[in-house]
Amino acid sequence: MASGSASPSAPAQAAPAADVSSASSSPKLPPPETQSDVRRRSHIVWSFWLVIVLLGLPIWWKTTTIYRANLPLEGMLEWAEGKACRPVFPLQISIQADSLQENEAQNLVRLTQHALDDHNDFSGHHLRLQLAPKRDSSSDAVLDDNVALTIQLTPGETNAASLNPHSAVLDIVYPPNAIPGPSSSSSALATYIAKELQSTFSEEQSTISYLLSTSSAPDARPQNLSPEAAEILSKRTTRSLRYAPTYHLTFSLFTAGAIPNSWDIETAIDEYMKPMLHMLGPIHNFTIDTQVQLYATPGTQSQVLSKADLASFINAAEWPLSPSIGGAPTVNFVIYIGDQNIGLTSESKTSESETSQSWMIPQWGTIYLLSLPDTTTHISSEKLRQAMLTFNGHLLSLLATALPSISIPRSVADGVASTMDHLQQACGSLGGPEGLYHARIAEEEAERAFFEKSMVGQLYFPDEHKIAVYLPLLGPVGVPLIMGLINELKNWIKRRRQRAKEAGEKKSQ
Amino acid sequence: MTLRGKASVYVGAALLRLILFLAFPGLPDLLTGRVEISTPVTSFKRLQEGLFLYTNNVSPYDGGVYHQAPLLLPLFSLLPSVKAWPIFTHLLYILVDVLSADALYKIAHSGEAGSSKLFTSPRRAKKWSGVAIAAAFLFNPYTIATCIGRSTGVFTTCAILHAISKAIYGSPFKAMVALSFASYLSMYPILLLPPVVLLAYDRQLEKRRVASGLQFAGTNVLVVVGCVAVLLGMSFVITGNSWEFLARTYGIQFTLSDLTPNVGLWWYFFIEMFDSFRAFFLGVFWLHLAAYPAALCFRLRPQPLAVLTIILGTFSIFKPYPSLADASLFLSMIPLFRHIFPLMRYSFVTTSTLLYATFLGPAFYHLWIYAGSGNANFFYAITLVWSLGQSLLVSDLTFALLRDEWEIERPDMIGKEIRQI
C-alpha cells in the first residue's frame, strides 16, 4: 500500500555515508565510515525498533487476541442433539357429560384415554382428557384457557359427532345404552370418541411431526407421515417467510386511473386486521405502513389474467414496493383497482388459497384485485372488508407460525446462558403463549450470540488467511526494518570479534 | 526586502481574500462543502453546528457532528453570527492567514534553513527573501482555498508556524506555548515536539543559555504538558464539567470513526478493513506516523528545520484526516530550502503529479458522488496519486538535504551523479 511505499524512504535514505561509486567508469573505493556515522545509524535503527517493540507489539497483542469466554458446551450440545427437551404438546380436552353419573363419567374418560394412548404412536402430540365440572344450569361454563377442546356429550338416538363452527366444542351424541358401567373395561363409546378426536387433530399432529422431522430430536421423529401429507406440509413451509421477531406490513393501493384516490385503510386495518395481529402479538411484532399510487400500470396488460400472468403482474420497476424497510422483512398487501380479472382455469380452481380475486406470492405477499364502478373516488372500509379478510388468511399462511425455536440450537455453534434459560422455560410451557414468548427471546439471543462481531470475524478468518491481511501492508514496511536490524546486528558481532581479536593480540604481545 | 514590500504583500493577500469573499458570496459555502478542504475535524460547517448547540446550552458534542476543540466555540461565539455578519468571520480568517505568513516571513528571514547552528550549507547564498516566501504562502491557491473554505486547520497552521518562528528567535517558552495550542487543536502536532525542542535548543539566546540538553528538553516538555493541561482544563469547564470532548475530538482521530472521504489514505482503507483487524491497523497507522520524528531527529540532527518540514510532509500524507490545509503548510515550507532545489531530482514529476491530482480530484469526486457514473475507487485512486506526489516531494527533499550534507564530507563528488548502494 501507499504507506509502505514511502515508509522505507527514511531508513533507506538514512545510510548516505554508505559506499558510493562515482559516475566514472573506474570504481573508486569510498572512504571508511566514521565512528559517528555508525553510531547515528544504529540510533536510527533502534529508534524504529523501540517504537515497534514497546508500542507495536503490545498493540498487536491487545487488538488481535480474541477473547474467548467459557461456554456451557455440554448443555449446548445436549440442546443441539435434542436431548435437553422432549417436545411435547399436551392438549387438554375437557369432557362435559352433565347427563352422566360421576363415576360413570370418570370411567368413560379413563377408557377413552386408554383408547387414545393405544392408538397414538407419536409422543410429541398428546391428548389429555379431563372431566369438566358439572355445569350449573344458571351460568354458562367459563371455558378454561388451557382447554383446547370441549366435548359435550348428550344422550340421543345414535352415535353422531359434529364440530361446533363457532367455538372449540365437539358435540357428540350417544345412544343411551353405550354408557359403560363404572367397572367395565371396554366401551364402544370410548373408542368412538377417541376416533373422533384423532380425526379432529390429525392435521395438527402431522404438522407437528413434520416440523419435528426437520429438527434433530431423535425420539420425537414421526413414524407415520405419508409422502402426500409431507408434500403438502413442505409446500406450506416453503412459501412462508423466514421467522423474524418483527414484520413490516405494507398496504398498497394501486389504481389504474386517477380515482379512487383515497381509502379508509386505517379503519379497515383496525377493524379487520388488528384482532388477528393482536393474537399474533406474543410471536411477532408488526409495523404497518400504507401507500396509494395512482396511474399504476401492472406488469401485464391482458384483460384476463392467466396463471402465467400472475407471476408478472407486479410491476417491479415502477411500483414502489421496497424489499425491506429497516431490518424487518416486509409483507406486501396490494389492492389493485382495475378491470382485470383472473381467468379461472381448472387448475387454479382447485387451489384452496386463491379466490378469483386474489393470489398469494410465496414469501412476498398478496395481491387483491378489486373492481369498482368507474366513478368511485373513495373506498370505504366496508368495501375493503373482503380484501382484508383475504389478507388475514394469507398472512397466517405466510407466517406459518410454528416452533421457531426448535431449529436454532441445532445449527448454532454458540449459545448464551439466557438462550438456554429461555429455551428451558419455553420447553416447560410448550403450546402456550408463554412458550412462544420464551422461544422468541431465545431465538433472538441465539442469533445475536451467533452473529457476535468478533466471532464472525473469527469464523471468516482461518489462521492462514491472516497472512493475506498482514502482508500487503506490513511486508513492505517490515522488509527495510528487518534488513536494517540484521545489518545492525551483523556489524555489532563483527565489531565485537574485532575487539576480541585486538584484545587477544594485545595480550599476546 | 523593504518593509513596504512586506506590507504590500500582506495587504494584497488580504484584499484578494476579501474580494473573493465579497464578490462571490456563494464561494465560501461551496468550498466549505468540499471534502478536499473540510475534514470532519476541521469543517466550518460542523463548527457552526457545534456553535449552535453551544450557544443554546446543549453539549456541542451531542449532535455527533462536531469533533473540534471546545475552545474554538467561545472564540467564535464572540464574533457576530456568521449568517448576519459574515464579514467578521472572514476578517478573522484573513488575519490568521496573515499572521501565519508573518511567522513564515520571520522563519525565512532568520536564514535557519541554510545555516543552522551545527550545519552550514555551502549553497546557502542562494535563497529567496522572506517576502517572496510569505507571498508564496499567501498566494498559494491551496492556502487561499483553505482560507475561503474557513477550515479550522488554519489555526493549527498558524500555531505551528509561530512555534517554529519563536523557537528560532530564542524564545523557547513562547514556542512551547504555541506548539501546545497546535497540539490542543489538532493533536498530531505533538509529534513535532522533539524537533521543535532541538531547534529551540540550538537557537537559545546567549544570556539565558541552558547548557544541558536534557535539562532544556525536560523544562520544555513540562511547559508543554502544563500548557496542554491548562487548555484541557479550560475545555473541561467550558463543556459543562465533562471529559466527553476528549473522546469526541481526539478519540475520533484515534479511532477514525467518521469515515467521510478526504484526500488522505485512511478512510478507504478502513472502509475495506475487516472489523476484527480494525483496531490493530489503527495502531499500525498511528505508529507509522509516530515512528518518523525520532529517527529523523537523529539523522538530520544538525538541521531541525528540515526535520520539521519533512515531518509536516508526512503528516500531510499519512495523518487520519488530511486536507489541503496540511498540504499548503508543507508546500509553504519548501521554498525555505531554495538552496537545495538544484539537488532535487524529480521536481517536474512531483509538480505535474500534484497538479494532475488537483484537477482530476474534484472531477472524480463529482463522478462518484453526483454523476453516479464512477465509484469510490475513482476518488481513492486520485488521492493515491496525490499522496504519491507528496511522498515523492518528501523523499526528494530528504535526498537533496542529505546530499547537501554529504558534499561537505566529500567535496570531490560535487556535481557528480551518485547512486546509493
Side-chain angles (χ1 to χ4, degrees), chain B residues 358-376:
Chain B
T358 307
F359 289 116
L360 269 187
F364 277 11
Y365 188 74
H366 180 87
L367 284 187
W368 170 30
I369 297 292
Y370 301 105
S373 50
N375 57 23

Side-chain angles (χ1 to χ4, degrees), chain B residues 214-366:
Chain B
L214 227 54
Q215 191 195 337
F216 183 81
T219 320
N220 283 307
V221 169
L222 279 185
V223 170
V224 170
V225 169
C227 251
V228 170
V230 168
L231 288 170
L232 292 181
M234 281 161 75
S235 311
F236 174 72
V237 173
I238 280 177
T239 53
N241 292 348
S242 121
W243 290 113
E244 188 200 7
F245 74 92
L246 286 179
R248 293 310 190 83
T249 52
Y250 310 123
I252 294 284
Q253 299 209 34
F254 268 123
T255 57
L256 204 84
S257 36
D258 192 317
L259 287 170
T260 314
N262 55 49
V263 291
L265 302 166
W266 290 47
W267 63 274
Y268 190 87
F269 192 88
F270 284 99
I271 286 175
E272 298 290 320
M273 177 50 62
F274 299 107
D275 266 355
S276 50
F277 288 97
R278 195 183 149 87
F280 170 69
F281 276 100
L282 279 172
V284 169
F285 272 48
W286 268 108
L287 285 188
H288 170 248
L289 199 58
Y292 288 117
L296 282 170
C297 284
F298 279 124
R299 185 60 193 89
L300 288 169
R301 170 65 188 89
Q303 306 188 59
L305 188 62
V307 175
L308 282 166
T309 310
I310 293 169
I311 296 179
L312 286 176
T314 50
F315 282 163
S316 168
I317 308 166
F318 295 122
K319 70 182 248 210
Y321 293 107
S323 67
L324 283 190
D326 302 284
S328 80
L329 174 59
F330 172 52
L331 292 178
S332 64
M333 298 286 280
I334 302 275
L336 294 171
F337 298 91
R338 167 71 185 90
H339 59 286
I340 53 163
F341 277 11
L343 295 174
M344 291 171 74
R345 296 168 296 177
Y346 308 119
S347 319
F348 174 72
V349 182
T350 313
T351 318
S352 30
T353 313
L354 289 182
L355 284 178
Y356 174 85
T358 307
F359 289 116
L360 269 187
F364 277 11
Y365 188 74
H366 180 87

Side-chain angles (χ1 to χ4, degrees), chain A residues 1-3 5-7 9-10 12-23 28 30-31 37 40 43-44 47-48 51 55-56 59-60 63-64 453 457 461 466 469-470 473-474, chain B residues 265 269 273-277 279-281 283-285 287-288 290-292 294-296 298-299 318 345 380 384 391 395 398-399 402 405-406 409-410 412-413 416-421:
Chain A
M1 292 286 305
S3 54
S5 71
S7 68
S9 68
Q13 298 283 358
D19 304 356
V20 172
S21 64
S22 71
K28 193 166 56 172
D37 281 352
R40 185 172 64 191
H43 278 152
I44 293 166
S47 81
F48 276 110
V51 171
L55 295 171
I59 287 177
W60 172 74
T63 54
T64 54
K453 249 189 186 174
F461 270 93
K466 283 186 181 156
V469 173
Y470 287 135
L473 180 62
L474 299 188
Chain B
L265 302 166
F269 192 88
M273 177 50 62
F274 299 107
D275 266 355
S276 50
F277 288 97
F280 170 69
F281 276 100
V284 169
F285 272 48
L287 285 188
H288 170 248
Y292 288 117
L296 282 170
F298 279 124
R299 185 60 193 89
F318 295 122
R345 296 168 296 177
Y380 188 60
L384 280 180
S391 36
S395 48
T398 315
F399 172 83
L402 293 174
E405 258 185 29
W406 179 71
E409 253 172 64
R410 304 279 305 271
D412 51 321
M413 301 304 282
K416 288 183 183 155
E417 201 170 304
I418 58 164
R419 164 168 81 85
Q420 189 194 342
I421 51 172

Side-chain angles (χ1 to χ4, degrees), chain A residues 232 235-236 239-240 307 310 333 342 344 346-363 365-369 386-387 389-398:
Chain A
I232 292 172
K235 213 172 174 181
R236 196 183 292 181
R239 73 184 172 199
S240 68
K307 197 178 181 192
L310 298 184
F333 295 114
I342 301 171
L344 286 176
S346 58
E347 204 178 0
S348 61
K349 240 178 246 167
T350 55
S351 173
E352 50 185 332
S353 67
E354 288 164 12
T355 70
S356 59
Q357 281 162 313
S358 72
W359 69 98
M360 184 172 82
I361 298 180
Q363 305 189 348
T366 294
I367 299 161
Y368 191 93
L369 297 179
Q386 193 51 47
L389 293 179
T390 312
F391 289 161
N392 264 347
H394 285 186
L395 179 61
L396 273 184
S397 56
L398 281 167

Side-chain angles (χ1 to χ4, degrees), chain A residues 180-203:
Chain A
S183 56
S184 72
S185 60
S186 72
S187 151
L189 178 60
T191 321
Y192 178 74
I193 294 173
K195 229 162 94 189
E196 281 300 319
L197 278 174
Q198 264 178 347
S199 71
T200 310
F201 285 103
S202 70
E203 193 198 344

Side-chain angles (χ1 to χ4, degrees), chain B residues 1-29:
Chain B
M1 258 295 177
T2 58
L3 208 62
R4 234 181 37 221
K6 187 170 111 177
S8 56
V9 166
Y10 292 173
V11 171
L15 275 180
L16 172 67
R17 284 163 170 71
L18 206 56
I19 289 168
L20 284 174
F21 271 129
L22 297 179
F24 306 98
L27 189 64
D29 285 338

Side-chain angles (χ1 to χ4, degrees), chain A residues 271-319:
Chain A
E271 210 166 317
Y272 307 118
M273 295 279 306
K274 275 284 159 69
M276 196 193 65
L277 297 185
H278 183 72
M279 201 181 76
L280 291 171
I283 318 163
H284 306 285
N285 288 322
F286 293 97
T287 55
I288 295 176
D289 74 4
T290 65
Q291 59 175 348
V292 178
Q293 181 90 352
L294 307 179
Y295 293 109
T297 27
T300 45
Q301 301 291 348
S302 53
Q303 183 64 39
V304 178
L305 300 170
S306 67
K307 197 178 181 192
D309 288 334
L310 298 184
S312 56
F313 185 80
I314 296 288
N315 190 344
E318 284 174 24
W319 291 4

